[in-house]
Amino acid sequence: RMRAALPQSAELWRASAAARVELALEPAREGGARPPAATRIAWLKLADGEFERWGALAPTQRDAALRERARTRAASGWTQLSEDNVDAAVAEFRSVQALAPGAGHWEFDARVPTALAGLDECARRLRLRGELAEAARLWSDLHRASPESFEWAVLAGRTWRSAAEQELLLSKDLRSAADGRISDPVALDNLRSRARISAKPRHGLGWTLALQRAATEAKERSAKWFKSSYLAFVDAAQLAPNDVRVLCDASEVAVYELRQDLKIVREFLSEAIRLGDLRSKDPQLVGAERRALLEAWGDAHECMGVLMLEHKREPAKAKQHFRLSLEIGPDPRPIVLETYLPQCEEALKSVIR
C-alpha cells in the first residue's frame, strides 16, 4: 500500500522486492509446509520486476539492482529444479546470463547457487533422462562460458560422443528398415518413435523414402555431434595434457569416426602411450586408479594400431600396438584378436607377395 501511495520511491520498490524474495526462499517452519513452488516462482517473478523498477528510479543503484535481479532469477531456476521442471529451469538460468556479461558466474549466498551451477545440474538430469544431445549442448555452453573448466569440457566430449553413437545406430536401423530387413510392426513403430517420423509404418514407396530421409538426417547429426565431441576433447586435452584418458578419447573420435587430424592425434596417442608406460611403473598406483590407467593405456595402443593399419598402411607397426594392447588389458579385446590382428596378417602377406 505504501508503494502504491509513493510510486516514485525507489526504496519502497527495493523493500517490496526483497520481502518477496525472502518469502520465496524461507524454509518450511516446524510442523508447517512451504507455499507451493508455483506460488514462490510467481513471487520471484514479481520481485524481478520490482528490482528492475528500483534500478530505473535510482540510477546509482542500477548495478546493485541488476545483481538482485540475477539472484532472483537464479532462485527461480533452482525452485523450478526442485520440482524437476528442467526445461523451465534452463530458461531461468539462461535469463540470468542474459542480464549482463558474466552474470552466470555471479555468486550470491548459500541459499542461491550460481546460474552456471544450475545449468550443470540441468545437464546432469537431462543425461539421466536419456536426452543426451540436450545435455551435451548445455555442457558445451558451460565450457564456452568457463573455458578453463576441464570437467565441463570432458562432460561435453563424452556426452556428445554418446549422443552421436546413439544417432549413428538409429541411422543404421532406419537403413535396415528401408531395405526391408526390419519388418516386425512393433519394431517399426518403435523405430518411427525414435526417429520422430510422423507417418505410421506401412508399405510402399512413401514409407521407404521417409525411412531413407530419416536415416540420412540421423547420420548427418551423428557426424556433427562426433565433431563437437572431438573439439571438446581437444579442449580438455589442452587443459590437462597429461591426462591419458582424455588424450585417448580425443584420438578415438578422430580415428574411428571422423578420420581427420590424424597427424595431431598420432601425437596425442604417442604421448598417451608414453605417459601410460611411465605411470604403470608407479608402485603406489593401485586399485581402481591403476585399472583406469591400464584401460586408457591399452586403448591408446589399440587406437594407434587402427591408425597404423587403416590410415597409414603400416601393418607391422599396427600389429605391435595391437599385441601390446592385449598384454596391457585389463579387459579382453575381442575385436583386436578376431578382426584387427587377422587384418594385419593379411596385409603383411600382401606385402610379401
Side-chain angles (χ1 to χ4, degrees):
R1 285 196 296 269
M2 290 178 63
R3 198 194 66 196
L6 298 168
Q8 298 305 308
S9 171
E11 178 56 26
L12 287 178
W13 284 97
R14 186 206 65 77
S16 177
R20 292 188 198 277
V21 173
E22 285 305 307
L23 279 173
L25 296 178
E26 188 177 36
R29 296 178 180 177
E30 188 175 352
R34 297 183 77 183
T39 300
R40 287 180 277 130
I41 290 166
W43 290 342
L44 292 166
K45 182 73 173 176
L46 287 170
D48 184 15
E50 290 171 338
F51 279 131
E52 182 179 21
R53 182 63 176 157
W54 169 43
L57 290 171
T60 60
Q61 298 299 316
R62 281 178 182 166
D63 288 346
L66 198 63
R67 192 171 186 86
E68 290 296 342
R69 293 183 68 197
R71 179 174 179 264
T72 299
R73 292 184 181 190
S76 183
W78 285 103
T79 305
Q80 294 282 11
L81 264 184
S82 71
E83 299 295 301
D84 205 31
N85 298 326
V86 177
D87 292 342
V90 169
E92 292 285 4
F93 293 131
R94 287 200 185 283
S95 76
V96 174
Q97 293 177 296
L99 283 172
H105 293 272
W106 289 354
E107 296 183 358
F108 308 112
D109 52 61
R111 293 184 297 174
V112 185
T114 67
L116 293 188
L119 288 170
D120 177 62
E121 177 60 24
C122 289
R124 293 175 191 278
R125 296 195 189 190
L126 287 168
R127 183 177 60 180
L128 286 174
R129 288 183 352 194
E131 298 179 41
L132 299 178
E134 290 76 8
R137 194 168 288 110
L138 279 182
W139 274 316
S140 291
D141 291 346
L142 286 166
H143 177 52
R144 276 192 290 272
S146 298
E148 74 287 352
S149 173
F150 171 75
E151 180 185 14
W152 284 337
V154 170
L155 285 168
R158 289 176 180 168
T159 312
W160 276 127
R161 182 179 186 175
S162 296
E165 289 170 343
Q166 191 177 79
E167 209 67 8
L168 186 59
L169 179 60
L170 173 62
S171 176
K172 291 177 179 178
D173 288 345
L174 287 163
R175 288 290 178 195
S176 295
D179 295 342
R181 286 173 285 159
I182 297 178
S183 57
D184 176 69
V186 175
L188 287 174
D189 195 55
N190 177 264
L191 189 57
R192 179 182 70 87
S193 177
R194 286 167 57 201
R196 298 176 183 174
I197 299 173
S198 57
K200 291 187 176 181
R202 61 185 186 278
H203 298 290
L205 181 59
W207 172 242
T208 300
L209 289 174
L211 289 169
Q212 291 173 341
R213 182 170 58 251
T216 299
E217 291 171 353
K219 190 172 183 179
E220 289 172 351
R221 285 192 297 272
S222 176
K224 180 181 177 181
W225 294 347
F226 275 127
K227 179 70 173 180
S228 296
S229 171
Y230 171 65
L231 292 174
F233 277 135
V234 168
D235 283 351
Q238 290 173 338
L239 290 167
N242 294 325
D243 191 304
V244 178
R245 179 73 271 165
V246 168
L247 289 169
C248 187
D249 284 339
S251 302
E252 286 176 343
V253 176
V255 172
Y256 297 144
E257 307 298 343
L258 298 176
R259 296 170 176 79
Q260 68 174 50
D261 289 354
L262 300 182
K263 183 177 180 180
I264 293 172
V265 299
R266 185 173 182 177
E267 294 176 6
F268 280 3
L269 289 169
S270 295
E271 181 65 2
I273 289 168
R274 184 189 71 82
L275 290 168
D277 180 46
L278 181 67
R279 292 180 187 161
S280 68
K281 297 170 184 174
D282 182 356
Q284 296 183 338
L285 189 69
V286 296
E289 288 187 4
R290 182 171 187 80
R291 180 178 178 81
L293 173 69
L294 293 176
E295 182 178 315
W297 183 28
D299 287 350
H301 272 294
E302 183 178 328
C303 190
M304 182 71 92
V306 174
L307 177 61
M308 291 292 101
L309 177 64
E310 297 185 357
H311 302 287
K312 297 299 181 181
R313 306 294 187 229
E314 298 182 33
K317 290 183 179 179
K319 184 177 178 180
Q320 292 175 0
H321 285 291
F322 287 137
R323 289 200 175 282
L324 285 168
S325 76
L326 291 174
E327 290 176 15
I328 294 166
D331 295 316
R333 298 176 182 270
I335 193 170
V336 172
L337 278 172
E338 298 167 12
T339 302
Y340 294 145
L341 283 175
Q343 288 177 353
C344 287
E345 296 298 339
E346 284 299 316
L348 288 168
K349 288 179 184 177
S350 298
V351 172
I352 293 172
R353 293 194 196 105

